Amino acid sequence: MQIDNKKVDLFYDLIDKACMIYYNDIKRDYLEAFISFTNALINGLDEPKLSNKAVQKLEKIINQISSQDFLNEEVRLAVELVLIKGYKHRNLLLDFLTPDGVSYIFSFIVNSIINNDPKYKDLDDDDFDEVVVMDTVMGAGNMLNTIINNGARNITGIGIERDILLANLAKSLAEIIDNDIIVNVQDAKIKFNALADIIVGDFGETEDVYDIILARLDNILNNGYFAYMVNNDFFTKATNEFKEALLKEATLMGLIVLPSNFVKKGHVGKSIIVGKKEILKDYQMSIISIDENLSDMNNVAKKINKMFE
């Protein structure tokens, strides 16, 4: 996939102009304006509060977007800039967005599973249905959409997010790209009925990480996988009860240690833990480190693939 940065900039400029029209004409919040304009792009413009002049401007932008061909990933990257601007308007932290570098690592992990697990790789396209990936702390859907956009096979997404605004932003992003994502607005610790081949999550500084991981075990298909980004003190802070409950149903397959420059100075650091809902006998967990310069990514990729062979 070859990303055209000019196309990214163009899509961002058009969406930004549209959001500012809502903001200036009817004083609608920038992020809420994005949700409104996304709906207008998909379903047509139907906003009685807008002035005739604003409607004309928005219709012109809709026509400009419709006349162009954008890759899904170009749209996602552009919308990411829109979301960043919107959150800065609200003076809010940007930890609702998983950085692209991390999202692409998660995407590679998911593709490595699909390409190496016989459950998927040995199927012809005619026999292959889809892989269901669940993001248990979805935020605005940036990581889940990245995974779907770059999927080695067809991927359906399920997202869990308790913040209504973030959930609506994630829905809008998925709809504008036409990605198949079901959004559940709820606390991630609460159990619910849905099954996924792979569950992912960027926990940030979430204090409920242990409760959420255990709650999600019921949502992983037998022999399915999970990959979670956690703080490097994850294991030292884990209780014996958590470890016993996790290892009773799953095997920890690997730990991918992210570069120190992925976090702010003084932070304990981040890693991605990878596991499988299956008890693998005599399995030795792989520890893979990524250096700050990302100079050894080919070797890192080989080690990740080997983990799932």
Side-chain angles (χ1 to χ4, degrees):
M1 182 189 301
Q2 186 67 41
I3 300 298
D4 186 340
N5 290 324
K6 290 183 179 179
K7 286 283 190 72
V8 174
D9 292 339
L10 173 61
F11 197 89
Y12 167 72
D13 287 339
L14 292 171
I15 295 289
D16 179 57
K17 285 178 182 177
C19 291
M20 292 307 298
I21 290 171
Y22 282 94
Y23 181 79
N24 291 322
D25 196 67
I26 55 176
K27 306 305 177 187
R28 183 160 295 170
D29 173 81
Y30 186 87
L31 291 176
E32 296 287 354
F34 167 71
I35 294 170
S36 297
F37 183 66
T38 299
N39 184 62
L41 270 176
I42 298 165
N43 302 310
L45 188 57
D46 183 18
E47 182 61 73
K49 294 181 180 180
L50 288 168
S51 66
N52 290 334
K53 188 176 181 180
V55 169
Q56 291 173 2
K57 289 180 179 178
L58 288 171
E59 287 178 341
K60 182 179 179 181
I61 293 173
I62 291 172
N63 290 334
Q64 286 177 282
I65 291 175
S66 300
S67 67
Q68 297 279 337
D69 290 323
F70 296 97
L71 295 175
N72 284 359
E73 192 65 357
E74 290 168 349
V75 173
R76 184 197 66 79
L77 288 166
V79 170
E80 184 177 29
L81 298 175
V82 171
L83 299 180
I84 290 171
K85 179 176 178 178
Y87 258 65
K88 285 183 177 178
H89 273 196
R90 293 184 174 213
N91 293 316
L92 296 173
L93 297 174
L94 296 177
D95 54 0
F96 75 103
L97 274 176
T98 301
D100 286 335
V102 173
S103 292
Y104 288 133
I105 293 173
F106 270 95
S107 179
F108 185 86
I109 291 170
V110 169
N111 284 339
S112 183
I113 292 170
I114 294 171
N115 290 330
N116 288 286
D117 190 316
K119 179 180 178 181
Y120 309 110
K121 77 170 187 175
D122 293 342
L123 291 177
D124 295 330
D125 287 339
D126 291 339
D127 297 323
F128 188 89
D129 185 12
E130 62 187 7
V131 175
V132 178
V133 176
M134 179 186 297
D135 189 338
T136 188
V137 278
M138 182 181 59
N142 196 46
M143 184 169 80
L144 186 54
N145 278 285
T146 303
I147 290 170
I148 295 173
N149 287 351
N150 296 278
R153 297 281 193 125
N154 291 333
I155 294 175
T156 293
I158 300 175
I160 302 174
E161 177 52 53
R162 63 184 177 185
D163 184 285
I164 294 176
L165 175 62
L166 291 180
N168 285 333
L169 290 171
K171 285 180 183 178
S172 294
L173 175 55
E175 287 173 353
I176 205 172
I177 300 175
D178 197 25
N179 280 340
D180 187 3
I181 296 178
I182 299 169
V183 177
N184 293 274
V185 184
Q186 68 169 68
D187 190 312
K189 297 191 301 297
I190 299 173
K191 294 189 177 185
F192 72 105
N193 295 322
L195 292 173
D197 298 273
I198 306 165
I199 298 186
V200 299
D202 168 9
F203 283 104
E205 304 306 316
T206 305
E207 295 179 358
D208 301 326
V209 53
Y210 302 103
D211 293 332
I212 295 173
I213 289 175
L214 292 182
R216 288 292 76 76
L217 282 173
D218 289 341
N219 301 107
I220 305 174
L221 287 164
N222 289 334
N223 304 324
Y225 298 85
F226 60 83
Y228 299 126
M229 187 166 79
V230 296
N231 290 336
N232 283 347
D233 57 4
F234 173 82
F235 290 109
T236 58
K237 288 187 175 181
T239 64
N240 289 331
E241 289 79 8
F242 167 79
K243 294 174 184 176
E244 290 172 3
L246 179 65
L247 298 179
K248 187 178 180 180
E249 297 189 53
T251 300
L252 292 176
M253 301 180 66
L255 181 72
I256 303 171
V257 184
L258 301 179
S260 58
N261 58 357
F262 272 39
V263 296
K264 294 179 180 178
K265 188 176 181 180
H267 192 280
V268 68
K270 296 277 187 180
S271 295
I272 298 173
I273 57 169
V274 181
K276 186 175 186 181
K277 191 178 177 180
E278 181 183 4
I279 304 302
L280 302 174
K281 295 182 179 180
D282 302 320
Y283 187 90
Q284 187 172 356
M285 186 173 74
S286 303
I287 299 178
I288 304 168
S289 296
I290 303 176
D291 64 46
E292 289 190 5
N293 298 320
L294 306 180
S295 59
D296 198 24
M297 289 306 292
N298 286 336
N299 193 35
V300 168
K302 289 178 182 178
K303 289 180 179 179
I304 293 175
N305 280 324
K306 187 173 178 61
M307 194 190 307
F308 300 112
E309 288 177 355

